[in-house]
Amino acid sequence: FFQDDKLVVFNGSDVFISLDLKSKKISLSNLKNPSPANDSSLYEGNFYTLSENKIYKYADALAGGVDRSTWNKIELGNVVALTVDGDIYVLTSEGKLLKLFKGIKETEYDILLTPAAGVVLTTYKDHPFIYISDKENKRVYVFDKSGTHITTHKLDAASSIKDISIAPNGSIWILSTDNKVWTLNP
């Protein structure tokens, strides 16, 4: 993750490492009560993980906060991905996009898409879109935040895809398994 002038690495369970790009100072935190995360997101210094169909929040993780609290106040069902822009958006295995505010479901949209394993949900603060990156099917689906499908980017030119990343300006970066980097600037 990148936030402000920091690069953050999370091992998917309990280790949270932050590198301040200006001072070159590295901070390592061992998160309390860890649980293997299916997905995670960093927003304004707070770190959110998706585990056991629950959203856990580590408040002030960038400042060394390691205490976990359960963020959602409702049952989420089978959630496969999350992203944060002030609100939290989660994607269920049934293709429902939920917008949560203060742990409560605010809206639910059927996006008419059954997500493949390993999809990644991405958005940014004050950004109008949510992206669903699907490495398996070589697609990036773009939705507005009311759940309306805007477009689908087909990434068939890339060989097998290792990773997809969406930049804050909406450009799509693809790393293929043959170590080539592709970019799409919609």
Side-chain angles (χ1 to χ4, degrees):
F1 304 97
F2 285 99
Q3 185 170 328
D4 303 324
D5 292 326
K6 293 188 167 78
L7 168 66
V8 176
V9 177
F10 174 57
N11 76 343
S13 177
D14 61 340
V15 177
F16 185 86
I17 301 169
S18 173
L19 168 64
D20 186 305
L21 298 172
K22 286 184 178 176
S23 70
K24 307 295 186 222
K25 181 181 175 188
I26 296 175
S27 301
L28 179 121
S29 300
N30 289 309
L31 302 176
K32 291 185 180 176
N33 302 315
S35 184
N38 300 332
D39 201 1
S40 56
S41 190
L42 181 65
Y43 180 76
E44 293 192 351
N46 298 314
F47 190 59
Y48 300 86
T49 63
L50 175 62
S51 180
E52 305 162 347
N53 290 319
K54 293 181 180 162
I55 299 170
Y56 296 116
K57 177 181 179 181
Y58 293 90
D60 298 320
L62 275 181
V66 296
D67 293 321
R68 179 181 93 175
S69 62
T70 302
W71 187 85
N72 56 299
K73 297 175 183 164
I74 60 167
E75 289 296 319
L76 296 174
N78 190 17
V79 179
V80 298
L82 87 153
T83 190
V84 182
D85 74 348
D87 295 313
I88 292 184
Y89 295 86
V90 296
L91 181 62
T92 70
S93 61
E94 297 81 27
K96 305 286 186 199
L97 182 64
L98 309 177
K99 178 181 176 183
L100 306 170
F101 180 71
K102 294 187 177 182
I104 303 294
K105 179 171 63 173
E106 193 170 85
T107 56
E108 177 178 318
Y109 308 103
D110 187 347
I111 60 169
L112 305 174
L113 173 74
T114 303
V119 297
V120 175
L121 205 56
T122 305
T123 195
Y124 295 97
K125 182 179 181 180
D126 301 324
H127 194 74
F129 304 118
I130 294 176
Y131 302 87
I132 300 173
S133 302
D134 181 347
K135 296 183 289 190
E136 184 178 311
N137 294 305
K138 298 182 180 182
R139 301 287 184 266
V140 172
Y141 305 95
V142 183
F143 293 85
D144 69 15
K145 291 186 177 175
S146 68
T148 302
H149 180 248
I150 303 300
T151 192
T152 299
H153 299 287
K154 297 178 181 181
L155 311 175
D156 295 327
S159 60
S160 294
I161 296 175
K162 188 184 286 187
D163 201 7
I164 301 171
S165 183
I166 312 297
N169 68 359
S171 64
I172 301 168
W173 291 79
I174 303 115
L175 175 62
S176 59
T177 56
D178 58 1
N179 292 320
K180 292 182 181 175
V181 177
W182 305 72
T183 185
L184 175 64
N185 294 303

PDB file of all heavy atoms in Angstrom, residues 39-75:
ATOM      1  N   ASP A  39      -8.325 -10.263   2.544  1.00  0.00           N
ATOM      2  CA  ASP A  39      -8.102  -8.990   1.862  1.00  0.00           C
ATOM      3  C   ASP A  39      -7.807  -7.945   2.927  1.00  0.00           C
ATOM      4  O   ASP A  39      -8.085  -8.158   4.123  1.00  0.00           O
ATOM      5  CB  ASP A  39      -9.332  -8.599   1.040  1.00  0.00           C
ATOM      6  CG  ASP A  39      -9.018  -7.604  -0.074  1.00  0.00           C
ATOM      7  OD1 ASP A  39      -7.839  -7.220  -0.238  1.00  0.00           O
ATOM      8  OD2 ASP A  39      -9.949  -7.208  -0.794  1.00  0.00           O
ATOM      9  N   SER A  40      -7.270  -6.808   2.507  1.00  0.00           N
ATOM     10  CA  SER A  40      -6.963  -5.741   3.450  1.00  0.00           C
ATOM     11  C   SER A  40      -6.943  -4.410   2.713  1.00  0.00           C
ATOM     12  O   SER A  40      -6.823  -4.365   1.491  1.00  0.00           O
ATOM     13  CB  SER A  40      -5.618  -5.998   4.136  1.00  0.00           C
ATOM     14  OG  SER A  40      -4.599  -6.150   3.180  1.00  0.00           O
ATOM     15  N   SER A  41      -7.067  -3.330   3.488  1.00  0.00           N
ATOM     16  CA  SER A  41      -7.069  -2.001   2.901  1.00  0.00           C
ATOM     17  C   SER A  41      -6.571  -1.004   3.938  1.00  0.00           C
ATOM     18  O   SER A  41      -6.826  -1.150   5.132  1.00  0.00           O
ATOM     19  CB  SER A  41      -8.488  -1.634   2.445  1.00  0.00           C
ATOM     20  OG  SER A  41      -8.486  -0.459   1.682  1.00  0.00           O
ATOM     21  N   LEU A  42      -5.876   0.007   3.470  1.00  0.00           N
ATOM     22  CA  LEU A  42      -5.346   1.063   4.322  1.00  0.00           C
ATOM     23  C   LEU A  42      -6.062   2.352   3.960  1.00  0.00           C
ATOM     24  O   LEU A  42      -6.189   2.693   2.785  1.00  0.00           O
ATOM     25  CB  LEU A  42      -3.834   1.191   4.068  1.00  0.00           C
ATOM     26  CG  LEU A  42      -3.071   2.221   4.872  1.00  0.00           C
ATOM     27  CD1 LEU A  42      -3.078   1.870   6.359  1.00  0.00           C
ATOM     28  CD2 LEU A  42      -1.630   2.300   4.361  1.00  0.00           C
ATOM     29  N   TYR A  43      -6.528   3.070   4.989  1.00  0.00           N
ATOM     30  CA  TYR A  43      -7.207   4.335   4.736  1.00  0.00           C
ATOM     31  C   TYR A  43      -6.913   5.297   5.878  1.00  0.00           C
ATOM     32  O   TYR A  43      -7.231   5.008   7.033  1.00  0.00           O
ATOM     33  CB  TYR A  43      -8.718   4.130   4.588  1.00  0.00           C
ATOM     34  CG  TYR A  43      -9.460   5.418   4.336  1.00  0.00           C
ATOM     35  CD1 TYR A  43      -9.421   6.027   3.092  1.00  0.00           C
ATOM     36  CD2 TYR A  43     -10.163   6.049   5.354  1.00  0.00           C
ATOM     37  CE1 TYR A  43     -10.069   7.224   2.855  1.00  0.00           C
ATOM     38  CE2 TYR A  43     -10.822   7.243   5.129  1.00  0.00           C
ATOM     39  CZ  TYR A  43     -10.774   7.825   3.883  1.00  0.00           C
ATOM     40  OH  TYR A  43     -11.412   9.018   3.653  1.00  0.00           O
ATOM     41  N   GLU A  44      -6.312   6.427   5.560  1.00  0.00           N
ATOM     42  CA  GLU A  44      -6.008   7.497   6.509  1.00  0.00           C
ATOM     43  C   GLU A  44      -5.399   6.975   7.802  1.00  0.00           C
ATOM     44  O   GLU A  44      -5.829   7.328   8.898  1.00  0.00           O
ATOM     45  CB  GLU A  44      -7.247   8.354   6.758  1.00  0.00           C
ATOM     46  CG  GLU A  44      -7.643   9.129   5.511  1.00  0.00           C
ATOM     47  CD  GLU A  44      -8.679  10.200   5.750  1.00  0.00           C
ATOM     48  OE1 GLU A  44      -9.247  10.277   6.861  1.00  0.00           O
ATOM     49  OE2 GLU A  44      -8.907  10.967   4.813  1.00  0.00           O
ATOM     50  N   GLY A  45      -4.402   6.107   7.659  1.00  0.00           N
ATOM     51  CA  GLY A  45      -3.666   5.599   8.810  1.00  0.00           C
ATOM     52  C   GLY A  45      -4.285   4.399   9.488  1.00  0.00           C
ATOM     53  O   GLY A  45      -3.649   3.750  10.307  1.00  0.00           O
ATOM     54  N   ASN A  46      -5.547   4.118   9.180  1.00  0.00           N
ATOM     55  CA  ASN A  46      -6.210   2.955   9.760  1.00  0.00           C
ATOM     56  C   ASN A  46      -6.099   1.778   8.794  1.00  0.00           C
ATOM     57  O   ASN A  46      -6.166   1.953   7.579  1.00  0.00           O
ATOM     58  CB  ASN A  46      -7.687   3.247  10.037  1.00  0.00           C
ATOM     59  CG  ASN A  46      -7.858   4.370  11.033  1.00  0.00           C
ATOM     60  OD1 ASN A  46      -7.205   4.404  12.073  1.00  0.00           O
ATOM     61  ND2 ASN A  46      -8.722   5.308  10.717  1.00  0.00           N
ATOM     62  N   PHE A  47      -5.953   0.582   9.350  1.00  0.00           N
ATOM     63  CA  PHE A  47      -5.777  -0.614   8.547  1.00  0.00           C
ATOM     64  C   PHE A  47      -6.963  -1.543   8.779  1.00  0.00           C
ATOM     65  O   PHE A  47      -7.351  -1.788   9.926  1.00  0.00           O
ATOM     66  CB  PHE A  47      -4.464  -1.301   8.937  1.00  0.00           C
ATOM     67  CG  PHE A  47      -4.077  -2.416   8.015  1.00  0.00           C
ATOM     68  CD1 PHE A  47      -3.874  -2.176   6.668  1.00  0.00           C
ATOM     69  CD2 PHE A  47      -3.901  -3.692   8.499  1.00  0.00           C
ATOM     70  CE1 PHE A  47      -3.507  -3.196   5.810  1.00  0.00           C
ATOM     71  CE2 PHE A  47      -3.529  -4.720   7.661  1.00  0.00           C
ATOM     72  CZ  PHE A  47      -3.342  -4.471   6.312  1.00  0.00           C
ATOM     73  N   TYR A  48      -7.551  -2.017   7.691  1.00  0.00           N
ATOM     74  CA  TYR A  48      -8.725  -2.886   7.752  1.00  0.00           C
ATOM     75  C   TYR A  48      -8.377  -4.228   7.129  1.00  0.00           C
ATOM     76  O   TYR A  48      -7.764  -4.276   6.061  1.00  0.00           O
ATOM     77  CB  TYR A  48      -9.884  -2.260   6.977  1.00  0.00           C
ATOM     78  CG  TYR A  48     -10.302  -0.916   7.515  1.00  0.00           C
ATOM     79  CD1 TYR A  48      -9.661   0.252   7.094  1.00  0.00           C
ATOM     80  CD2 TYR A  48     -11.325  -0.807   8.449  1.00  0.00           C
ATOM     81  CE1 TYR A  48     -10.030   1.489   7.596  1.00  0.00           C
ATOM     82  CE2 TYR A  48     -11.708   0.422   8.946  1.00  0.00           C
ATOM     83  CZ  TYR A  48     -11.052   1.566   8.520  1.00  0.00           C
ATOM     84  OH  TYR A  48     -11.419   2.784   9.026  1.00  0.00           O
ATOM     85  N   THR A  49      -8.784  -5.307   7.793  1.00  0.00           N
ATOM     86  CA  THR A  49      -8.579  -6.637   7.235  1.00  0.00           C
ATOM     87  C   THR A  49      -9.916  -7.359   7.156  1.00  0.00           C
ATOM     88  O   THR A  49     -10.819  -7.123   7.962  1.00  0.00           O
ATOM     89  CB  THR A  49      -7.598  -7.483   8.071  1.00  0.00           C
ATOM     90  OG1 THR A  49      -8.140  -7.699   9.377  1.00  0.00           O
ATOM     91  CG2 THR A  49      -6.239  -6.816   8.159  1.00  0.00           C
ATOM     92  N   LEU A  50     -10.011  -8.217   6.179  1.00  0.00           N
ATOM     93  CA  LEU A  50     -11.196  -9.049   5.986  1.00  0.00           C
ATOM     94  C   LEU A  50     -10.790 -10.471   6.338  1.00  0.00           C
ATOM     95  O   LEU A  50      -9.901 -11.041   5.710  1.00  0.00           O
ATOM     96  CB  LEU A  50     -11.666  -8.964   4.535  1.00  0.00           C
ATOM     97  CG  LEU A  50     -12.819  -9.858   4.131  1.00  0.00           C
ATOM     98  CD1 LEU A  50     -14.069  -9.518   4.927  1.00  0.00           C
ATOM     99  CD2 LEU A  50     -13.087  -9.706   2.633  1.00  0.00           C
ATOM    100  N   SER A  51     -11.406 -11.018   7.362  1.00  0.00           N
ATOM    101  CA  SER A  51     -11.065 -12.353   7.828  1.00  0.00           C
ATOM    102  C   SER A  51     -12.293 -12.974   8.472  1.00  0.00           C
ATOM    103  O   SER A  51     -13.015 -12.293   9.215  1.00  0.00           O
ATOM    104  CB  SER A  51      -9.925 -12.264   8.843  1.00  0.00           C
ATOM    105  OG  SER A  51      -9.568 -13.522   9.317  1.00  0.00           O
ATOM    106  N   GLU A  52     -12.520 -14.240   8.180  1.00  0.00           N
ATOM    107  CA  GLU A  52     -13.643 -14.960   8.792  1.00  0.00           C
ATOM    108  C   GLU A  52     -14.976 -14.241   8.537  1.00  0.00           C
ATOM    109  O   GLU A  52     -15.853 -14.226   9.392  1.00  0.00           O
ATOM    110  CB  GLU A  52     -13.408 -15.113  10.296  1.00  0.00           C
ATOM    111  CG  GLU A  52     -12.098 -15.759  10.653  1.00  0.00           C
ATOM    112  CD  GLU A  52     -11.663 -15.519  12.093  1.00  0.00           C
ATOM    113  OE1 GLU A  52     -12.246 -14.654  12.783  1.00  0.00           O
ATOM    114  OE2 GLU A  52     -10.734 -16.200  12.523  1.00  0.00           O
ATOM    115  N   ASN A  53     -15.106 -13.610   7.359  1.00  0.00           N
ATOM    116  CA  ASN A  53     -16.300 -12.827   7.008  1.00  0.00           C
ATOM    117  C   ASN A  53     -16.587 -11.703   7.995  1.00  0.00           C
ATOM    118  O   ASN A  53     -17.730 -11.319   8.215  1.00  0.00           O
ATOM    119  CB  ASN A  53     -17.528 -13.723   6.818  1.00  0.00           C
ATOM    120  CG  ASN A  53     -17.389 -14.553   5.574  1.00  0.00           C
ATOM    121  OD1 ASN A  53     -16.927 -14.064   4.545  1.00  0.00           O
ATOM    122  ND2 ASN A  53     -17.758 -15.814   5.650  1.00  0.00           N
ATOM    123  N   LYS A  54     -15.522 -11.188   8.590  1.00  0.00           N
ATOM    124  CA  LYS A  54     -15.602 -10.030   9.475  1.00  0.00           C
ATOM    125  C   LYS A  54     -14.578  -9.011   9.006  1.00  0.00           C
ATOM    126  O   LYS A  54     -13.555  -9.355   8.416  1.00  0.00           O
ATOM    127  CB  LYS A  54     -15.306 -10.416  10.920  1.00  0.00           C
ATOM    128  CG  LYS A  54     -16.355 -11.314  11.516  1.00  0.00           C
ATOM    129  CD  LYS A  54     -16.038 -11.638  12.943  1.00  0.00           C
ATOM    130  CE  LYS A  54     -17.140 -12.551  13.452  1.00  0.00           C
ATOM    131  NZ  LYS A  54     -16.790 -13.271  14.636  1.00  0.00           N
ATOM    132  N   ILE A  55     -14.866  -7.756   9.298  1.00  0.00           N
ATOM    133  CA  ILE A  55     -13.914  -6.683   9.018  1.00  0.00           C
ATOM    134  C   ILE A  55     -13.311  -6.274  10.356  1.00  0.00           C
ATOM    135  O   ILE A  55     -14.030  -5.925  11.296  1.00  0.00           O
ATOM    136  CB  ILE A  55     -14.594  -5.481   8.349  1.00  0.00           C
ATOM    137  CG1 ILE A  55     -15.218  -5.899   7.022  1.00  0.00           C
ATOM    138  CG2 ILE A  55     -13.589  -4.341   8.153  1.00  0.00           C
ATOM    139  CD1 ILE A  55     -16.116  -4.853   6.399  1.00  0.00           C
ATOM    140  N   TYR A  56     -11.987  -6.350  10.417  1.00  0.00           N
ATOM    141  CA  TYR A  56     -11.272  -5.921  11.610  1.00  0.00           C
ATOM    142  C   TYR A  56     -10.561  -4.607  11.302  1.00  0.00           C
ATOM    143  O   TYR A  56     -10.038  -4.408  10.217  1.00  0.00           O
ATOM    144  CB  TYR A  56     -10.248  -6.968  12.045  1.00  0.00           C
ATOM    145  CG  TYR A  56     -10.884  -8.272  12.469  1.00  0.00           C
ATOM    146  CD1 TYR A  56     -10.655  -9.435  11.759  1.00  0.00           C
ATOM    147  CD2 TYR A  56     -11.717  -8.332  13.593  1.00  0.00           C
ATOM    148  CE1 TYR A  56     -11.236 -10.636  12.149  1.00  0.00           C
ATOM    149  CE2 TYR A  56     -12.305  -9.528  13.976  1.00  0.00           C
ATOM    150  CZ  TYR A  56     -12.058 -10.677  13.259  1.00  0.00           C
ATOM    151  OH  TYR A  56     -12.637 -11.857  13.637  1.00  0.00           O
ATOM    152  N   LYS A  57     -10.559  -3.730  12.301  1.00  0.00           N
ATOM    153  CA  LYS A  57      -9.906  -2.429  12.148  1.00  0.00           C
ATOM    154  C   LYS A  57      -8.759  -2.332  13.148  1.00  0.00           C
ATOM    155  O   LYS A  57      -8.917  -2.655  14.327  1.00  0.00           O
ATOM    156  CB  LYS A  57     -10.906  -1.301  12.418  1.00  0.00           C
ATOM    157  CG  LYS A  57     -10.292   0.088  12.352  1.00  0.00           C
ATOM    158  CD  LYS A  57     -11.328   1.161  12.645  1.00  0.00           C
ATOM    159  CE  LYS A  57     -10.711   2.547  12.607  1.00  0.00           C
ATOM    160  NZ  LYS A  57     -11.711   3.585  12.921  1.00  0.00           N
ATOM    161  N   TYR A  58      -7.608  -1.898  12.641  1.00  0.00           N
ATOM    162  CA  TYR A  58      -6.461  -1.561  13.474  1.00  0.00           C
ATOM    163  C   TYR A  58      -6.323  -0.050  13.384  1.00  0.00           C
ATOM    164  O   TYR A  58      -5.797   0.482  12.402  1.00  0.00           O
ATOM    165  CB  TYR A  58      -5.199  -2.258  12.974  1.00  0.00           C
ATOM    166  CG  TYR A  58      -5.256  -3.762  13.134  1.00  0.00           C
ATOM    167  CD1 TYR A  58      -5.764  -4.568  12.121  1.00  0.00           C
ATOM    168  CD2 TYR A  58      -4.816  -4.371  14.306  1.00  0.00           C
ATOM    169  CE1 TYR A  58      -5.831  -5.949  12.266  1.00  0.00           C
ATOM    170  CE2 TYR A  58      -4.875  -5.760  14.452  1.00  0.00           C
ATOM    171  CZ  TYR A  58      -5.381  -6.531  13.435  1.00  0.00           C
ATOM    172  OH  TYR A  58      -5.441  -7.894  13.572  1.00  0.00           O
ATOM    173  N   ALA A  59      -6.844   0.643  14.400  1.00  0.00           N
ATOM    174  CA  ALA A  59      -6.835   2.105  14.394  1.00  0.00           C
ATOM    175  C   ALA A  59      -5.411   2.623  14.490  1.00  0.00           C
ATOM    176  O   ALA A  59      -4.587   2.074  15.228  1.00  0.00           O
ATOM    177  CB  ALA A  59      -7.675   2.642  15.552  1.00  0.00           C
ATOM    178  N   ASP A  60      -5.116   3.648  13.726  1.00  0.00           N
ATOM    179  CA  ASP A  60      -3.814   4.310  13.732  1.00  0.00           C
ATOM    180  C   ASP A  60      -2.655   3.346  13.499  1.00  0.00           C
ATOM    181  O   ASP A  60      -1.581   3.470  14.106  1.00  0.00           O
ATOM    182  CB  ASP A  60      -3.603   5.084  15.042  1.00  0.00           C
ATOM    183  CG  ASP A  60      -4.635   6.183  15.235  1.00  0.00           C
ATOM    184  OD1 ASP A  60      -4.961   6.855  14.227  1.00  0.00           O
ATOM    185  OD2 ASP A  60      -5.138   6.353  16.359  1.00  0.00           O
ATOM    186  N   ALA A  61      -2.843   2.395  12.612  1.00  0.00           N
ATOM    187  CA  ALA A  61      -1.800   1.399  12.327  1.00  0.00           C
ATOM    188  C   ALA A  61      -0.519   2.048  11.814  1.00  0.00           C
ATOM    189  O   ALA A  61       0.569   1.588  12.135  1.00  0.00           O
ATOM    190  CB  ALA A  61      -2.316   0.370  11.323  1.00  0.00           C
ATOM    191  N   LEU A  62      -0.643   3.119  11.038  1.00  0.00           N
ATOM    192  CA  LEU A  62       0.568   3.788  10.542  1.00  0.00           C
ATOM    193  C   LEU A  62       1.359   4.457  11.659  1.00  0.00           C
ATOM    194  O   LEU A  62       2.553   4.677  11.528  1.00  0.00           O
ATOM    195  CB  LEU A  62       0.227   4.826   9.474  1.00  0.00           C
ATOM    196  CG  LEU A  62       0.091   4.311   8.057  1.00  0.00           C
ATOM    197  CD1 LEU A  62      -0.220   5.447   7.088  1.00  0.00           C
ATOM    198  CD2 LEU A  62       1.309   3.554   7.599  1.00  0.00           C
ATOM    199  N   ALA A  63       0.693   4.759  12.762  1.00  0.00           N
ATOM    200  CA  ALA A  63       1.374   5.368  13.906  1.00  0.00           C
ATOM    201  C   ALA A  63       1.747   4.315  14.950  1.00  0.00           C
ATOM    202  O   ALA A  63       2.136   4.650  16.063  1.00  0.00           O
ATOM    203  CB  ALA A  63       0.484   6.443  14.531  1.00  0.00           C
ATOM    204  N   GLY A  64       1.606   3.030  14.602  1.00  0.00           N
ATOM    205  CA  GLY A  64       1.994   1.961  15.517  1.00  0.00           C
ATOM    206  C   GLY A  64       0.846   1.263  16.215  1.00  0.00           C
ATOM    207  O   GLY A  64       1.077   0.373  17.028  1.00  0.00           O
ATOM    208  N   GLY A  65      -0.393   1.636  15.913  1.00  0.00           N
ATOM    209  CA  GLY A  65      -1.538   0.975  16.537  1.00  0.00           C
ATOM    210  C   GLY A  65      -1.628  -0.487  16.133  1.00  0.00           C
ATOM    211  O   GLY A  65      -1.580  -0.802  14.948  1.00  0.00           O
ATOM    212  N   VAL A  66      -1.736  -1.376  17.100  1.00  0.00           N
ATOM    213  CA  VAL A  66      -1.758  -2.809  16.812  1.00  0.00           C
ATOM    214  C   VAL A  66      -2.995  -3.509  17.368  1.00  0.00           C
ATOM    215  O   VAL A  66      -3.163  -4.704  17.200  1.00  0.00           O
ATOM    216  CB  VAL A  66      -0.481  -3.516  17.347  1.00  0.00           C
ATOM    217  CG1 VAL A  66       0.756  -3.004  16.625  1.00  0.00           C
ATOM    218  CG2 VAL A  66      -0.348  -3.366  18.850  1.00  0.00           C
ATOM    219  N   ASP A  67      -3.860  -2.763  18.062  1.00  0.00           N
ATOM    220  CA  ASP A  67      -5.043  -3.361  18.673  1.00  0.00           C
ATOM    221  C   ASP A  67      -6.156  -3.519  17.653  1.00  0.00           C
ATOM    222  O   ASP A  67      -6.465  -2.602  16.892  1.00  0.00           O
ATOM    223  CB  ASP A  67      -5.526  -2.511  19.848  1.00  0.00           C
ATOM    224  CG  ASP A  67      -4.542  -2.526  21.001  1.00  0.00           C
ATOM    225  OD1 ASP A  67      -3.972  -3.594  21.274  1.00  0.00           O
ATOM    226  OD2 ASP A  67      -4.338  -1.460  21.621  1.00  0.00           O
ATOM    227  N   ARG A  68      -6.777  -4.687  17.677  1.00  0.00           N
ATOM    228  CA  ARG A  68      -7.826  -5.030  16.718  1.00  0.00           C
ATOM    229  C   ARG A  68      -9.200  -4.832  17.336  1.00  0.00           C
ATOM    230  O   ARG A  68      -9.431  -5.162  18.492  1.00  0.00           O
ATOM    231  CB  ARG A  68      -7.656  -6.494  16.305  1.00  0.00           C
ATOM    232  CG  ARG A  68      -8.702  -6.972  15.337  1.00  0.00           C
ATOM    233  CD  ARG A  68      -8.497  -8.424  14.997  1.00  0.00           C
ATOM    234  NE  ARG A  68      -9.300  -9.232  15.908  1.00  0.00           N
ATOM    235  CZ  ARG A  68      -9.421 -10.540  15.826  1.00  0.00           C
ATOM    236  NH1 ARG A  68      -8.774 -11.217  14.908  1.00  0.00           N
ATOM    237  NH2 ARG A  68     -10.168 -11.199  16.670  1.00  0.00           N
ATOM    238  N   SER A  69     -10.115  -4.290  16.524  1.00  0.00           N
ATOM    239  CA  SER A  69     -11.527  -4.235  16.912  1.00  0.00           C
ATOM    240  C   SER A  69     -12.350  -4.733  15.731  1.00  0.00           C
ATOM    241  O   SER A  69     -11.938  -4.609  14.579  1.00  0.00           O
ATOM    242  CB  SER A  69     -11.938  -2.809  17.291  1.00  0.00           C
ATOM    243  OG  SER A  69     -11.803  -1.934  16.201  1.00  0.00           O
ATOM    244  N   THR A  70     -13.484  -5.320  16.037  1.00  0.00           N
ATOM    245  CA  THR A  70     -14.385  -5.757  14.976  1.00  0.00           C
ATOM    246  C   THR A  70     -15.135  -4.532  14.496  1.00  0.00           C
ATOM    247  O   THR A  70     -15.780  -3.835  15.279  1.00  0.00           O
ATOM    248  CB  THR A  70     -15.361  -6.832  15.489  1.00  0.00           C
ATOM    249  OG1 THR A  70     -14.597  -7.928  16.000  1.00  0.00           O
ATOM    250  CG2 THR A  70     -16.267  -7.324  14.378  1.00  0.00           C
ATOM    251  N   TRP A  71     -15.039  -4.254  13.184  1.00  0.00           N
ATOM    252  CA  TRP A  71     -15.623  -3.035  12.635  1.00  0.00           C
ATOM    253  C   TRP A  71     -17.081  -3.218  12.236  1.00  0.00           C
ATOM    254  O   TRP A  71     -17.909  -2.346  12.477  1.00  0.00           O
ATOM    255  CB  TRP A  71     -14.800  -2.567  11.429  1.00  0.00           C
ATOM    256  CG  TRP A  71     -15.243  -1.243  10.909  1.00  0.00           C
ATOM    257  CD1 TRP A  71     -14.859  -0.026  11.356  1.00  0.00           C
ATOM    258  CD2 TRP A  71     -16.174  -1.010   9.866  1.00  0.00           C
ATOM    259  NE1 TRP A  71     -15.494   0.965  10.656  1.00  0.00           N
ATOM    260  CE2 TRP A  71     -16.315   0.375   9.725  1.00  0.00           C
ATOM    261  CE3 TRP A  71     -16.924  -1.844   9.036  1.00  0.00           C
ATOM    262  CZ2 TRP A  71     -17.155   0.942   8.792  1.00  0.00           C
ATOM    263  CZ3 TRP A  71     -17.753  -1.271   8.107  1.00  0.00           C
ATOM    264  CH2 TRP A  71     -17.868   0.115   7.991  1.00  0.00           C
ATOM    265  N   ASN A  72     -17.420  -4.344  11.599  1.00  0.00           N
ATOM    266  CA  ASN A  72     -18.795  -4.502  11.122  1.00  0.00           C
ATOM    267  C   ASN A  72     -19.715  -4.872  12.284  1.00  0.00           C
ATOM    268  O   ASN A  72     -19.336  -5.597  13.197  1.00  0.00           O
ATOM    269  CB  ASN A  72     -18.893  -5.543  10.001  1.00  0.00           C
ATOM    270  CG  ASN A  72     -18.334  -6.889  10.385  1.00  0.00           C
ATOM    271  OD1 ASN A  72     -17.160  -7.005  10.699  1.00  0.00           O
ATOM    272  ND2 ASN A  72     -19.175  -7.914  10.348  1.00  0.00           N
ATOM    273  N   LYS A  73     -20.935  -4.352  12.210  1.00  0.00           N
ATOM    274  CA  LYS A  73     -21.938  -4.615  13.240  1.00  0.00           C
ATOM    275  C   LYS A  73     -23.055  -5.500  12.721  1.00  0.00           C
ATOM    276  O   LYS A  73     -24.047  -5.713  13.405  1.00  0.00           O
ATOM    277  CB  LYS A  73     -22.496  -3.285  13.745  1.00  0.00           C
ATOM    278  CG  LYS A  73     -21.432  -2.434  14.415  1.00  0.00           C
ATOM    279  CD  LYS A  73     -21.946  -1.081  14.808  1.00  0.00           C
ATOM    280  CE  LYS A  73     -20.794  -0.286  15.406  1.00  0.00           C
ATOM    281  NZ  LYS A  73     -21.054   1.120  15.480  1.00  0.00           N
ATOM    282  N   ILE A  74     -22.900  -5.993  11.494  1.00  0.00           N
ATOM    283  CA  ILE A  74     -23.891  -6.868  10.873  1.00  0.00           C
ATOM    284  C   ILE A  74     -23.173  -8.096  10.325  1.00  0.00           C
ATOM    285  O   ILE A  74     -21.968  -8.078  10.115  1.00  0.00           O
ATOM    286  CB  ILE A  74     -24.637  -6.162   9.715  1.00  0.00           C
ATOM    287  CG1 ILE A  74     -23.637  -5.733   8.627  1.00  0.00           C
ATOM    288  CG2 ILE A  74     -25.437  -4.979  10.215  1.00  0.00           C
ATOM    289  CD1 ILE A  74     -24.254  -5.328   7.325  1.00  0.00           C
ATOM    290  N   GLU A  75     -23.936  -9.157  10.076  1.00  0.00           N
ATOM    291  CA  GLU A  75     -23.385 -10.323   9.396  1.00  0.00           C
ATOM    292  C   GLU A  75     -23.191  -9.955   7.934  1.00  0.00           C
ATOM    293  O   GLU A  75     -24.066  -9.357   7.312  1.00  0.00           O
ATOM    294  CB  GLU A  75     -24.336 -11.516   9.519  1.00  0.00           C
ATOM    295  CG  GLU A  75     -24.398 -12.097  10.917  1.00  0.00           C
ATOM    296  CD  GLU A  75     -23.072 -12.688  11.368  1.00  0.00           C
ATOM    297  OE1 GLU A  75     -22.389 -13.353  10.563  1.00  0.00           O
ATOM    298  OE2 GLU A  75     -22.715 -12.465  12.542  1.00  0.00           O
TER     299      GLU A  75
END
